Amino acid sequence: MNHAIKRYGAISGAALALAAGYGLVGAFWAVAAALLVAASWVIGQQRNKRWVTSGSFTLLVLLSALSPLFGAAPGWPIAAVVFSLIGWNQGHFARLVASVERVDGKELIEQRYRRRLMATAALGAMLAGLTPLIQLNFGFGIALFLGVIAILGFGRAIAYLRRESV
Amino acid sequence: MINRLLLLGILIYAIVVLGMAALNGAVLALAIPLLVFLGAGLLYGPETPQFHITRSLSTDRAEPSAPVSVTLSITNEGNRIDLAHIVDNPPRQLEVVEGHTELLTALDPGETVELTYTLRGQRGRYDFDEVKIRVMDFLGLLRRDVSVPVPGQFEFFVYPEVRRVDRIPIRPRVTKAYAGHIPSRVSGSGVDFFGVRHYQQGDSLRHINWRANARHQGTFYSNEFEQERVADVGIILDARQRTYVQIGDQSLFEHAIAAAATLADSFLTDGNRVALLRYGDLLDWTVPGYGKFQRERILQALARAQMGDSLIFDRLEHLPTRLFPPKSQIVMVSPLASDDADLLPRLRARGYQVLIISPNPIAFEKALLERNELTAMAERIATVERELLFRKLRQAGIQVFDWHVDIPLNQALAASMAQLRPLLDRNIGIVTS
């Protein structure tokens, strides 16, 4: 019960942060969309539908990524992404623990897991929060070069991840 | 289903592309929590794990439905593992009645965990598989699946049910030299009266036949007794699929197996030398032997016995008649097919004493089928055919025991022993040793 509250709390937090970000700039269609996606996520989680939870997580992250383009303050989408990550990962962990017949040292494992998750989320939130304070001026050439590097690099990274995740 | 790691990578990629296309730093910043998450997953991701696993069973052979406890001991010989999902895969036909076959745990270097569960199952030979282990970090982004072989065993037998039966009255034409329980048709020390002969010096006074002495005055006569010895017994298990009835999970073959096991156990307990031949899709031959080791060999052969179809062994004409010692006793367990009547007498012609324990397929099927006019008529016809078959076999000097399998073999034999014994006695051939 306690874990469920925490898990749904993270999803609610993500939805509310996103709704606040969009609401403050008057994009109420996005507020409705964020709440709808969060509701479907909670339902998917309750019914143990993995594709619904992963789909809802993806939609919330993409909605968050679009929010700065609509003028939302950067803090809200960052909070939404971090909460989404927490909710998504907790859902996965809870499913894993529930699916196994016997878990040895369950409390210790959960404690270590929470510590790792919170540390990662806090670090991510902190770095993301600091990023807007950093300003770098690029010329077009450097920007183009970095863009090409990013595309190639990410392409290779995804190929690596795909290989590792088999 | 898209992998979580890949999903995260795609999201990061999408956000970066969107941020760069929009030249918006706030969008780019949103990739950072995801990147940190991904980085943590890669940083703490599991290395190739190393395990040492041992599996021990409370016994490597069991009676049907008897519980067998399995203990799996897993030692982590590599680095620390955040999460290890260990799954043992016992053979599917065995039922887990207690404990768990999987475990989720964290493992420090050198740490050992144990997985204990209890199985039970029906007759068969079972092989245990490798142990499957999935290791992952707490965030569950990277995982590695390994199949770890377990050194040593493991094959596991569930033997057929063996019931204790009274001594089965067999009378092979030739017995062996060692003392046993089978009348040998040779005079000597024994229990059963064999004949009368002239008194010889040294004969016990208790053995003098006073009635014969009274008739022939001046001459003394002594009683002779029949020696009891061990014999060679060959058990033939008919495993031809076409002779058996199977309805759902009920199979007449299982009863035949149990009968063969019970007979082998009984003959071996009496000290006889016993061999087993399974005649089905192939010939599975267990060479003759004595005692407990032979009992184990035969029970193992019966545990792995399966029915089968083969064009070659479809009829009994390929039954090897020279495998068994000459003039020994053959006990065949078979429901019998109508065309067997022409071929079995060949065994008699070669000098074997033949006893057939025939599980009755008609009664077996009747108990499992719905009663109506058609089945009643079919039963009558099949019964007449079977009676004719039995008559032919009996005319050829073969003893047939018609076994209704709803009665356990030991009880059925005990009830019919009185009828079986004189039939066997009548078939004694003259033997000169």
Side-chain angles (χ1 to χ4, degrees):
Chain A
M1 185 67 187
N2 190 24
H3 298 302
I5 290 169
K6 280 178 188 168
R7 200 158 66 243
Y8 298 140
I11 297 169
S12 310
L16 289 176
L18 198 55
Y22 277 114
L24 290 174
V25 294
F28 294 108
W29 64 269
V31 174
L35 295 176
L36 206 66
V37 170
S40 74
W41 189 345
V42 171
I43 292 166
Q45 195 110 292
Q46 281 174 341
R47 295 188 182 174
N48 208 16
K49 303 277 185 201
R50 281 183 63 187
W51 64 273
V52 174
T53 55
S54 289
S56 305
F57 164 69
T58 306
L59 284 176
L60 270 189
V61 170
L62 290 178
L63 273 174
S64 307
L66 289 173
S67 67
L69 304 181
F70 288 89
W76 297 113
I78 289 172
V81 167
V82 170
F83 277 124
S84 297
L85 270 173
I86 292 172
W88 180 58
N89 205 270
Q90 280 182 331
H92 167 77
F93 185 77
R95 252 196 323 273
L96 174 69
V97 171
S99 70
V100 180
E101 292 170 354
R102 179 183 141 193
V103 182
D104 275 10
K106 191 176 178 184
E107 288 199 355
L108 185 68
I109 288 174
E110 284 178 344
Q111 191 185 340
R112 284 180 182 173
Y113 163 72
R114 273 198 300 274
R115 210 180 298 155
R116 175 84 51 87
L117 179 68
M118 290 307 154
T120 309
L123 182 67
M126 191 182 74
L127 289 178
L130 289 175
T131 307
L133 305 178
I134 302 165
Q135 197 165 5
L136 296 172
N137 291 318
F138 294 135
F140 177 74
I142 293 175
L144 187 67
F145 174 72
L146 287 176
V148 170
I149 292 284
I151 288 167
L152 290 177
F154 272 115
R156 291 193 71 107
I158 284 180
Y160 167 75
L161 295 179
R162 174 170 273 180
R163 216 170 38 244
E164 282 295 312
S165 60
V166 171
Chain B
M1 192 70 202
I2 195 162
N3 186 281
R4 301 175 76 233
L5 192 67
L6 200 60
L7 176 65
L8 214 53
I10 291 169
L11 278 175
I12 293 168
Y13 189 81
I15 290 172
V16 169
V17 169
L18 181 69
M20 289 178 75
L23 293 176
N24 190 321
V27 175
L28 279 174
L30 291 178
I32 288 175
L34 301 176
L35 271 171
V36 170
F37 212 77
L38 187 66
L42 293 175
L43 185 68
Y44 293 108
E47 296 166 9
T48 306
Q50 288 179 317
F51 293 104
H52 177 70
I53 301 183
T54 57
R55 187 192 281 117
S56 61
L57 273 69
S58 56
T59 176
D60 58 357
R61 52 198 187 279
E63 301 292 320
S65 300
V68 177
S69 136
V70 182
T71 304
L72 198 70
S73 177
I74 307 114
T75 304
N76 175 20
E77 292 187 331
N79 295 328
R80 181 175 161 165
I81 295 168
D82 284 348
L83 286 174
H85 183 196
I86 301 159
V87 182
D88 195 11
N89 294 302
R92 239 177 290 161
Q93 299 88 336
L94 296 176
E95 181 195 0
V96 179
V97 289
E98 198 183 328
H100 302 297
T101 57
E102 62 172 336
L103 162 71
L104 183 72
T105 186
L107 280 173
D108 288 327
E111 188 179 345
T112 300
V113 288
E114 279 194 351
L115 196 59
T116 306
Y117 54 91
T118 306
L119 296 170
R120 73 174 172 205
Q122 297 306 309
R123 179 193 68 83
R125 173 190 177 275
Y126 302 100
D127 285 309
F128 279 82
D129 217 347
E130 295 174 328
V131 176
K132 297 203 180 329
I133 303 181
R134 169 173 285 182
V135 292
M136 60 199 116
D137 68 311
F138 283 123
L139 300 181
L141 291 178
L142 266 182
R143 55 188 184 220
R144 284 182 196 277
D145 292 327
V146 287
S147 291
V148 187
V150 183
Q153 317 187 216
F154 263 86
E155 59 176 15
F156 168 63
F157 290 94
V158 177
Y159 285 165
E161 188 178 14
V162 176
R163 290 176 182 268
R164 296 273 164 224
V165 289
D166 290 342
R167 189 159 297 136
I168 299 162
I170 53 169
R171 299 294 298 262
R173 294 185 176 195
V174 170
T175 52
K176 300 190 77 66
Y178 309 113
H181 295 288
I182 296 170
S184 62
R185 294 172 209 135
V186 176
S187 65
S189 60
V191 178
D192 290 341
F193 176 75
F194 188 69
V196 179
R197 62 164 168 76
H198 284 290
Y199 175 81
Q200 289 173 1
Q201 209 170 2
D203 281 352
S204 167
L205 285 178
R206 289 191 299 141
H207 292 166
I208 292 175
N209 189 322
W210 295 107
R211 191 172 290 179
N213 290 345
R215 281 203 208 107
H216 306 276
Q217 286 188 355
T219 314
F220 283 101
Y221 291 93
S222 292
N223 287 334
E224 281 187 316
F225 296 90
E226 191 172 17
Q227 279 190 27
E228 290 181 335
R229 294 180 177 174
V230 298
D232 274 310
V233 181
I235 297 173
I236 300 174
L237 172 67
D238 182 1
R240 294 171 298 162
Q241 193 145 19
R242 72 184 180 99
T243 58
Y244 287 94
V245 179
Q246 177 150 8
I247 299 173
D249 59 349
Q250 299 284 317
S251 172
L252 189 62
F253 185 60
E254 291 304 318
H255 294 281
I257 295 260
T262 299
L263 292 168
D265 179 64
S266 169
F267 291 131
L268 284 167
T269 306
D270 287 348
N272 299 300
R273 194 168 77 140
V274 181
L276 174 74
L277 175 72
R278 179 169 65 87
Y279 187 90
D281 52 343
L282 46 83
L283 295 178
D284 184 11
W285 172 239
T286 307
V287 293
Y290 295 97
K292 287 181 181 174
F293 283 114
Q294 182 68 357
R295 181 183 187 273
E296 288 293 305
R297 276 195 288 267
I298 288 179
L299 289 180
Q300 287 187 4
L302 290 172
R304 60 173 182 264
Q306 298 292 330
M307 283 186 289
D309 272 329
S310 159
L311 284 175
I312 300 166
F313 301 120
D314 186 52
R315 303 185 71 211
L316 291 180
E317 61 191 346
H318 292 290
L319 191 65
T321 52
R322 299 282 184 193
L323 267 179
F324 302 100
K327 297 180 180 176
S328 64
Q329 175 75 45
I330 287 180
V331 180
M332 184 170 188
V333 183
S334 168
L336 296 173
S338 54
D339 51 10
D340 293 343
D342 304 328
L343 301 162
L344 285 170
R346 288 195 311 175
L347 291 172
R348 280 286 294 163
R350 294 204 184 273
Y352 296 111
Q353 287 290 335
V354 183
L355 167 66
I356 297 177
I357 306 286
S358 182
N360 191 320
I362 304 163
F364 178 77
E365 196 166 359
K366 182 183 155 191
L368 299 173
L369 285 182
E370 192 186 329
R371 295 293 296 159
N372 58 39
E373 210 170 294
L374 271 178
T375 54
M377 185 181 288
E379 182 202 342
R380 279 202 298 276
I381 294 169
T383 306
V384 169
E385 274 184 355
R386 193 168 162 81
E387 279 302 319
L388 283 172
L389 171 68
F390 283 6
R391 193 174 297 172
K392 273 187 190 174
L393 292 173
R394 283 175 182 140
Q395 279 170 354
I398 294 172
Q399 305 312 315
V400 186
F401 176 66
D402 189 15
W403 174 36
H404 289 240
V405 296
D406 52 335
I407 305 167
L409 183 66
N410 53 342
Q411 291 175 23
L413 277 176
S416 308
M417 209 67 90
Q419 289 102 27
L420 202 59
R421 197 181 299 273
L423 284 171
L424 287 163
D425 288 347
R426 220 182 292 154
N427 257 304
I428 299 170
I430 309 287
V431 177
T432 49
S433 56

